[in-house]
Amino acid sequence: MLVITRDDVRKVITMRDAIEAVKRGFALFSQSKAIIPLRVSIKLGDNATLFMPGATLEDKCAGVKVVSVCPFNPQRGLPLINAAVLIIDGETGVPQALIEGSTVTTIRTGAAGGAAAEALSNEDSKVALVIGAGVQGRIQIEALSEVRDIELVYVYDIDTLKAEIYAKEMTDKMRLKVMAVRDYESVIPEVDVIITATTSNKPVLRGKYIKEGVHINAIGSYTPDMKELDIEVFKRASVVAVDSKEAVLEEAGEVIEALREAVLKKEDIVEIGEILAGVKAGRRSKEEITVFKTVGIAVEDVVVGKLIYERAKEKGVGIEIKDF
């Protein structure tokens, strides 16, 4: 078995690699060529540990990601989130790789946003707004810049210092103009792509402010109690795409609310994999408002994890453990 560290992951995979892998994973999932049970969450006091199993039938590859979220870890000098991804040969059952999972999660979630933006945003999109200046707020712009020629990024965070640090760091890293704003609703009319990457339980994006033609990647919320988008967003959207209908109907607070209020119907929701596979239509005109809502599904971890393993083997990266 190959043990692959955080630094190893960065050495062997690019964001473009991850986007292509996730696009394929979504298409496989929506064509019933992947087995992805709903994740299992175990609460240990304030902490939660999530078990996310999955398999792709074509690749004969199985895997599971285990993610722990511990709110008090930062006070202990430890990461808020810890994770590991185990990749298993589907034919023999032999464990092939154990991969540092927080980095996999960051990259594959960014790649999911990039895949959705490539499929649904207008090709001439130039201006983006990020709400939430955390890790996902950063990786989402890296992924978006892979699929669109972004020239200007606005960033907002309830912590203004955090937004200013983000703006400086991302300007240096991405070599594009990044500006921190204190009133993001004032810049929404000029924005082509909006990314929400928060853990808010109240909507941070109100539909009455968004312009025609905008694409929205709603990345942050992943429980029924969390909501990043208000009902008006769904009223105005022509396309509401998700990673998994089953998962989103169980876990995405804003979608659950829109369905409860009869603003959205289940049959109106499409999976991004259906769009990528050409089974369902995506954007039909430049004026349509499109939404991608993701809660994260294990097919992303399996396809990206398998690719990381294969690239690590090719490049001689990682620590091989014999007789595991």
Side-chain angles (χ1 to χ4, degrees):
M1 185 178 72
L2 196 63
V3 176
I4 302 172
T5 68
R6 177 184 290 108
D7 290 341
D8 292 336
V9 171
R10 301 278 186 191
K11 290 174 186 174
V12 300
I13 191 171
T14 67
M15 179 52 71
R16 186 73 247 184
D17 294 333
I19 289 171
E20 293 304 319
V22 166
K23 284 165 62 176
R24 178 173 174 271
F26 282 148
L28 290 174
F29 172 72
S30 293
Q31 295 175 90
S32 300
K33 295 178 181 178
I35 301 168
I36 309 296
L38 286 175
R39 65 180 131 218
V40 175
S41 178
I42 296 176
K43 293 283 287 182
L44 297 170
D46 294 311
N47 302 335
T49 298
L50 310 176
F51 296 83
M52 300 174 63
T56 53
L57 303 181
E58 281 187 4
D59 304 327
K60 298 179 181 176
C61 176
V64 61
K65 182 171 73 175
V66 182
V67 186
S68 293
V69 183
C70 302
F72 296 105
N73 267 9
Q75 299 173 20
R76 303 181 179 112
L78 297 171
L80 171 68
I81 297 172
N82 289 280
V85 176
L86 179 66
I87 299 297
I88 300 166
D89 186 307
E91 286 193 300
T92 65
V94 172
Q96 294 177 312
L98 182 65
I99 309 170
E100 194 282 315
S102 295
T103 307
V104 175
T105 301
T106 298
I107 292 171
R108 63 80 146 155
T109 308
E118 188 170 43
L120 293 173
S121 70
N122 280 310
E123 291 184 8
D124 60 355
S125 296
K126 301 290 184 187
V127 183
L129 165 66
V130 179
I131 303 174
V135 172
Q136 268 309 310
R138 285 167 164 77
I139 202 73
Q140 289 294 324
I141 289 301
E142 290 185 42
L144 179 60
S145 296
E146 284 287 336
V147 301
R148 293 292 179 259
D149 294 325
I150 300 299
E151 297 176 351
L152 171 62
V153 177
Y154 294 111
V155 59
Y156 169 83
D157 196 281
I158 54 173
D159 183 335
T160 55
L161 178 59
K162 193 173 178 181
E164 289 165 3
I165 292 170
Y166 174 108
K168 183 180 185 308
E169 290 180 351
M170 292 299 286
T171 294
D172 294 341
K173 181 174 184 177
M174 301 300 299
R175 300 188 183 280
L176 51 79
K177 188 175 182 181
V178 184
M179 295 178 58
V181 293
R182 298 195 178 196
D183 174 20
Y184 63 90
E185 290 178 346
S186 67
V187 303
I188 284 179
E190 62 181 283
V191 170
D192 303 309
V193 178
I194 300 172
I195 296 162
T196 60
T198 76
T199 55
S200 179
N201 58 11
K202 295 179 181 178
V204 296
L205 181 63
R206 293 189 280 178
K208 69 179 182 179
Y209 292 110
I210 58 179
K211 72 174 185 180
E212 290 186 349
V214 75
H215 171 67
I216 300 162
N217 275 342
I219 303 296
S221 63
Y222 58 91
T223 72
D225 297 327
M226 298 164 72
K227 300 180 185 73
E228 292 190 297
L229 313 180
D230 75 355
I231 286 179
E232 188 68 21
V233 171
F234 295 102
K235 282 184 181 178
R236 297 187 60 195
S238 299
V239 178
V240 176
V242 301
D243 46 9
S244 161
K245 290 180 186 176
E246 183 183 19
V248 164
L249 292 175
E250 284 283 330
E251 299 172 346
E254 54 267 271
V255 174
I256 293 169
E257 181 180 43
L259 289 167
R260 186 173 60 243
E261 298 295 325
V263 169
L264 189 64
K265 298 176 182 176
K266 288 183 182 179
E267 55 265 33
D268 295 332
I269 301 171
V270 299
E271 289 180 344
I272 192 68
E274 296 176 296
I275 295 172
L276 291 167
V279 175
K280 295 285 181 70
R283 174 180 292 277
R284 297 175 180 87
S285 74
K286 286 181 68 68
E287 292 72 35
E288 286 188 323
I289 293 168
T290 57
V291 174
F292 173 60
K293 174 59 207 165
T294 174
V295 293
I297 56 175
V299 72
E300 301 164 62
D301 302 299
V302 173
V303 294
V304 172
K306 179 176 171 57
L307 180 60
I308 290 168
Y309 166 68
E310 291 172 344
R311 292 285 175 82
K313 289 284 284 186
E314 289 171 8
K315 296 176 181 289
V317 170
I319 303 166
E320 187 75 51
I321 298 179
K322 304 288 186 182
D323 303 321
F324 177 76

